[in-house]
């Protein structure tokens, strides 16, 4: 009996991490933009009911199938991982917005104010480099924003599964607004 308890303690974290990898692969960052035009969840942002479309998304259906036989304790661990991931995504997004947007725009405004003609001359002389820099400063935060959106979508899908399983949130942390 003792060996079974030890084996369960060792296998549960491995199973939790296996499920986490399988689950988050259902919500790739790269596919958010194309999915925004074709999934029921995207079209569900019209009207009052924002949940039914999400429930019909292909990724949601796959998540339901993946977690159908997962034990409640394993599901709770997965939900806690998703919540932790979402909080870490929020933290990083704030830093990225601060670093990539606030600092460069403030510096640009300062340089434009101090020597606007020189800045315009530099931009005209180095137009390709300026465009690449502007794209990088814009697309990097956009990538993090999309990643954060996906992490929140994953949490929402786990909430749907929890509701259908008739499980209560396992921690006060999960009850707070995110």
């Amino acid at each position: 009996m003792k060996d079974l308890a030890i084996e369960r303690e060792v296998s549960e974290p491995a199973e939790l991490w296996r499920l986490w990898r399988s689950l988050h692969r259902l919500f790739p960052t790269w596919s958010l933009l194309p999915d925004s035009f074709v999934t029921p969840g995207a079209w569900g942002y019209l009207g009052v009911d924002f949940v039914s479309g999400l429930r019909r998304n292909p990724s949601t259906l796959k998540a339901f199938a993946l977690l159908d036989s997962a034990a409640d304790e394993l599901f709770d661990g997965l939900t806690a991982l998703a919540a932790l991931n979402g909080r870490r995504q929020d933290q990083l997004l704030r830093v990225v917005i601060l670093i990539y947007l606030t600092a460069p725009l403030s510096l640009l405004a300062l340089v434009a104010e101090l020597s606007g003609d020189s800045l315009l001359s530099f931009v005209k002389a180095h137009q390709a480099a300026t465009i690449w820099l502007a794209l990088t400063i814009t697309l990097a935060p956009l990538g993090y924003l999309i990643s954060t959106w996906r992490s929140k979508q994953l949490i929402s899908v786990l909430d749907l599964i929890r509701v259908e399983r008739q499980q209560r949130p396992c921690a006060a942390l999960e009850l707070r607004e995110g």
Side-chain angles (χ1 to χ4, degrees), residues 20 23-24 27 54 60 63-64 67 75 78-90 147-163 173-178:
W20 172 249
L23 180 65
H24 77 74
F27 301 88
L54 176 65
T60 302
F64 268 84
L67 300 174
F75 180 80
L78 196 61
T79 301
L81 271 178
L84 174 62
N85 183 62
R87 289 190 309 276
R88 290 189 47 85
Q89 289 273 353
D90 285 340
S147 182
T148 301
W149 180 279
R150 278 297 205 203
S151 75
K152 299 300 183 187
Q153 184 180 19
L154 195 149
I155 291 169
S156 296
V157 168
L158 289 174
D159 285 345
L160 280 174
I161 294 170
R162 180 182 299 286
V163 167
L173 195 58
E174 293 175 60
L175 295 171
R176 73 180 190 183
E177 298 260 341

Side-chain angles (χ1 to χ4, degrees), residues 5-20:
I6 292 171
E7 183 180 313
R8 183 175 176 205
E9 287 177 18
V10 172
S11 67
E12 281 183 9
E15 178 64 8
L16 176 65
W17 287 105
R18 184 196 68 74
L19 270 177
W20 172 249

Side-chain angles (χ1 to χ4, degrees), residues 43-160:
W43 290 102
Y45 281 111
L46 303 171
V48 176
D49 180 8
F50 283 27
V51 181
S52 297
L54 176 65
R55 178 60 174 94
R56 292 189 313 269
N57 278 351
S59 56
T60 302
L61 297 174
K62 290 175 187 173
F64 268 84
L66 176 69
L67 300 174
D68 185 44
S69 62
D72 290 349
E73 296 81 17
L74 198 55
F75 180 80
D76 288 342
L78 196 61
T79 301
L81 271 178
L84 174 62
N85 183 62
R87 289 190 309 276
R88 290 189 47 85
Q89 289 273 353
D90 285 340
Q91 291 168 346
L92 184 59
L93 181 62
R94 288 184 186 117
V95 169
V96 166
I97 288 172
L98 181 70
I99 291 172
Y100 277 88
L101 296 180
T102 306
L105 291 178
S106 298
L107 183 62
L108 184 63
L110 178 65
V111 171
E113 185 67 31
L114 295 176
S115 59
D117 292 338
S118 297
L119 180 63
L120 277 174
S121 298
F122 178 82
V123 168
K124 287 180 183 177
H126 302 92
Q127 201 168 19
T130 304
I131 290 171
W132 279 111
L133 179 62
L135 281 173
T136 301
I137 290 172
T138 303
L139 293 178
L142 182 62
Y144 285 108
L145 180 66
I146 290 170
S147 182
T148 301
W149 180 279
R150 278 297 205 203
S151 75
K152 299 300 183 187
Q153 184 180 19
L154 195 149
I155 291 169
S156 296
V157 168
L158 289 174
D159 285 345
L160 280 174

